[in-house]
Every structure is written in C-alpha cells, then in structure tokens.
Amino acid sequence: MKILQIKDWGMGLDSESPIIISGPCSAETEQQTLNSCRGAAEAGANILRAGIWKPRTSPGCFEGIGEEGLGWLLEAKTDTGLPVTCEVANATHVRLALAHKVDILWIGARTTVNPFAVQEIADALRGIDIPIMVKNPVNPDVKLWIGAIKRLQNVGLRRIAAIHRGFDTLAQKDIYRNPPNWNLVEEFRQKMPEISIINDPSHIAGKRDLLWNVARKALNLGMDGLMIESHIEPDNAWSDAKQQVNPTQLRDLLESLLAANLTSIDAEQKAAQELQSWRTEIDMLDKSLMELLALRKSLVTEIAKCKKNHNIAVVQLERWKSMVRKRLEESKSLGLDQKLISGIFEAIHEDSVQLQNAV
Ligand code: PEP
Ligand code: MN
C-alpha cells in the first residue's frame, strides 16, 4: 500500500512551507500544557506536540504525567483548532490516545529500536486509519527505522512520516546531544523516497543555541518540516529544559528560518542569530580539536618513554617524511589547503620533538 506524504494526509497540511510541529517535551500541568501549546500555535506551529508518557534512560527522572495529560492535550486542540500529537510506546498508550482524540501518533527513538514493541503498536492499530510518525532508532541503523515503518504499513496504515532526531553515536557527541549523521537520512531517503521526513533539531542539538544550524541544514536538504520543543517556561521544564525555547524564541527562530521578506532590522537580528549559532558550533569544534591535541600529546609521551628505554633517537626522518606525505594525501581528499596542513603538522611535530627531548 502506498504511503501518503504529509501534505496528502487531509489535515490541511498542504501548504508550500515546511510543516512545524511544536509544543512542550512533556505535558506537566494543565496550565503549562495549555499555555505552551497556545504559545506554539501563535508562533506558527501547524501541529501541537506534548509527551504524555516519557521513556527515560534512567529511572527517577520525570516519566510523564500519563493519561490525565491527554485531557489537557484535547483542551489545547479545542482551544487552538490545531491537530495534536503524542508519543505512544505500547498498545495501552495507543488505546488511550485514540480514546482522547489524539490526531497523530508518534513512535519514539527508544521504541523504534524494539521490533516487539513496534509490532505491538502496529497490531493495536490494525484497521484504524490514523497518521503516525516514526522517529529514527537511537542507534544508527537505517534498516531498523525502515523495518518499523514497514510493520505499520503491513497493518494498513498509509499516513506515515519519518522523524529524524539524531543518533546515539560517539562521533560529534561533544557537539550534539544526538549527532545528526545526515548521511543516514540520505540513505533513508534513497530507500523510501516517497515518505515525508520531519527534522527534530531539539533532540539533535540538545541545546537552544544550536537549533538554528540544525534546522537550517535540514531545510536546505529539503526536509518536509521541523519538530521543535517549546515550553511556556523552558528553564523550569520537567524534562529537556536546555533544548526547549519559549514561544517568543520559537517565533523568532521560525521567522529567521522561514520568512522571505524581512525588514532591515529583522534581517540584522536574523544575521546576529545565525552568526551566534555558527559560533557556538565553531567553539565546540575548537574544543574538540584541543581535546584531540591533548590526547595526541599523551601518546607522544608514551612514545618518548619507549624510545628512551630502547635508546632510539627522537627524530626518525623516514617516519616524519612518510607521515607528512600521508597527512597531505588525506587532507587533499578532505578538501583542505595543503599549506595549512603542512604548517599545522610542522608545528605539532616541533612541539612533539621538544616534549620527547624533555623526557
Ligand atoms: C520526545 O520527542 O520528547 C522524545 C522523547 O524524543 P526521542 O524519542 O527522539 O528521544
Ligand atoms: Mn524531549
């Protein structure tokens, strides 16, 4: 059965601009849910979200308000006239969400990893025509992501979208909460070209300052929408406080990402925000560079000890020559300037020789 793109879901989501899903990470109280959802709606969201059951990595964190929150979500839906969505992780969640008129369901990253859980949800949805979004699994496994979608397709669901929320990988973990691995989204898209992909910069970035970069990149790659967590009072949120934005910040973010005709003042603000975002990322990259240099230095110390114990000269000309050759070759394939790389490695080598002589 053919999967329908979001614009064909028959929910008024057929605009040209990207679909915006926003609302709090978790429904906490009635007022917080209502105010956060109203704020998101006023800031330009097309769909409202709130987590009702929260799958947490460690016990003892806020694990969601449960069924009671579904009533608040329904209030937000009535109040704003917008469709609402929440995460479901088992058949009971599905039954309760449907009973409270949740318009769209989503499967979270910690559930997509588990085919038993996904199949349980699929079985609970057999014969029911409701839209559902599937987050990528926590681990970088595109097959598992696609497998989850196929299980839903197999029970007759047609309105299915994917959410890219980043992966738990070691590389770039110091920058992102869940590194985006854009190549995996591309792989997904090649295998399922017909399916809409929503980017979730909040769970990828893990911090407000990085939302803009991630969202910008996703839109540049032609993704169909964004899921951005927003909260009436982000700093006091019971979950994911650091990554949530307030309604004003959400409006500014969306305006900066989507608006075409900005006044000069807006354009200036937009440029400042953009710059701030890139600088945050550069700062983190530089920090990783220095951490790598420190790691390298500790290896040099080991090498120095080994050379000393075995009476080997500090400078080994052949090794140095072949090292420079290899680095230059590698830098070429990375598109880096040869002069820059040879300069950097000369400085590194000089420092390393000094360090070894000291040992
Ligand atoms: C969420 O969207 O609040 C959430 C729990 O996300 P994920 O499943 O991507 O961790
Ligand atoms: Mn969250």
Side-chain angles (χ1 to χ4, degrees):
M1 192 156 359
K2 198 170 170 296
I3 292 182
L4 299 178
Q5 299 208 328
I6 287 198
K7 63 179 172 52
D8 301 321
W9 282 4
M11 306 178 84
L13 301 170
D14 49 357
S15 84
E16 283 296 302
S17 42
I19 303 301
I20 305 301
I21 305 170
S22 192
C25 176
S26 306
E28 299 161 4
T29 66
E30 183 175 13
Q31 275 317 305
Q32 169 268 353
T33 305
L34 262 178
N35 291 338
S36 301
C37 285
R38 275 186 197 138
E42 279 160 18
N46 310 105
I47 299 171
L48 300 174
R49 63 151 282 156
I52 301 293
W53 301 279
K54 302 303 295 180
R56 305 311 296 270
T57 301
S58 319
C61 301
F62 175 56
E63 299 199 310
I65 203 75
E67 186 177 353
E68 189 184 4
L70 289 168
W72 309 335
L73 203 52
L74 182 54
E75 265 183 78
K77 165 177 162 159
T78 316
D79 190 82
T80 60
L82 292 178
V84 295
T85 180
C86 78
E87 173 174 352
V88 291
N90 58 40
T92 308
H93 295 168
V94 168
R95 188 172 48 74
L96 290 170
L98 293 175
H100 287 84
K101 303 193 169 51
V102 172
D103 302 279
I104 303 167
L105 307 175
W106 93 73
I107 296 184
R110 289 166 194 76
T111 305
T112 310
V113 290
N114 181 352
F116 290 132
V118 175
Q119 192 57 50
E120 179 183 322
I121 294 170
D123 289 337
L125 287 170
R126 195 181 293 276
I128 296 169
D129 179 23
I130 186 166
I132 187 160
M133 305 184 288
V134 183
K135 287 201 172 198
N136 67 256
V138 173
N139 54 324
D141 187 343
V142 174
K143 274 204 205 119
L144 205 49
W145 197 2
I146 292 175
I149 290 171
K150 288 199 169 143
R151 286 177 195 278
L152 299 168
Q153 223 179 337
N154 284 347
V155 297
L157 292 170
R158 296 168 309 137
R159 295 185 283 172
I160 308 175
I163 300 178
H164 169 226
R165 53 77 80 196
F167 302 85
D168 192 7
T169 53
L170 280 180
Q172 296 195 307
K173 188 81 184 168
D174 43 354
I175 299 180
Y176 303 102
R177 178 177 173 196
N178 292 292
N181 290 286
W182 299 103
N183 56 318
L184 296 184
V185 195
E186 203 38 53
E187 188 184 328
F188 175 88
R189 187 144 61 171
Q190 265 162 26
K191 294 191 171 132
M192 301 205 110
E194 69 283 14
I195 192 163
S196 305
I197 308 177
I198 302 290
N199 175 263
D200 172 349
S202 303
H203 290 88
I204 292 176
K207 53 184 92 52
R208 271 161 230 151
D209 269 355
L210 270 187
L211 291 175
W212 188 92
N213 311 41
V214 176
R216 180 72 267 157
K217 170 103 180 171
L219 296 177
N220 288 349
L221 289 174
M223 296 204 191
D224 302 272
L226 301 168
M227 180 189 254
I228 302 176
E229 285 185 342
S230 64
H231 189 288
I232 194 70
E233 236 182 317
D235 286 333
N236 296 326
W238 297 0
S239 60
D240 291 354
K242 286 201 187 96
Q243 71 196 31
Q244 301 199 64
V245 289
N246 67 31
T248 311
Q249 291 166 324
L250 177 67
R251 197 197 53 214
D252 288 351
L253 185 66
L254 294 178
E255 210 164 86
S256 152
L257 287 166
L258 307 173
N261 308 312
L262 295 167
T263 64
S264 64
I265 287 282
D266 286 347
E268 215 171 278
Q269 269 175 4
K270 178 184 162 169
Q273 183 178 24
E274 184 172 336
L275 215 54
Q276 170 60 33
S277 230
W278 294 123
R279 284 179 177 155
T280 304
E281 199 162 356
I282 286 272
D283 287 349
M284 284 191 278
L285 275 178
D286 284 351
K287 188 162 163 264
S288 316
L289 274 177
M290 287 193 290
E291 280 164 4
L292 280 176
L293 284 175
L295 197 60
R296 193 182 194 286
K297 187 173 162 187
S298 64
L299 291 182
V300 168
T301 312
E302 293 306 316
I303 287 184
K305 280 189 223 153
C306 173
K307 284 179 179 168
K308 187 177 172 214
N309 290 341
H310 298 89
N311 285 320
I312 300 170
V314 164
V315 178
Q316 300 282 315
L317 205 57
E318 276 317 303
R319 158 74 183 156
W320 167 236
K321 277 193 206 156
S322 89
M323 199 178 119
V324 172
R325 207 180 328 109
K326 262 197 222 143
R327 300 295 178 271
L328 286 179
E329 260 169 39
E330 283 158 357
S331 71
K332 219 189 265 174
S333 61
L334 291 170
L336 292 166
D337 183 70
Q338 308 274 292
K339 262 215 312 254
L340 171 73
I341 296 304
S342 64
I344 288 175
F345 276 99
E346 251 162 54
I348 288 179
H349 185 243
E350 204 173 296
D351 179 68
S352 151
V353 170
Q354 251 177 41
L355 189 72
Q356 294 186 57
N357 282 331
V359 173

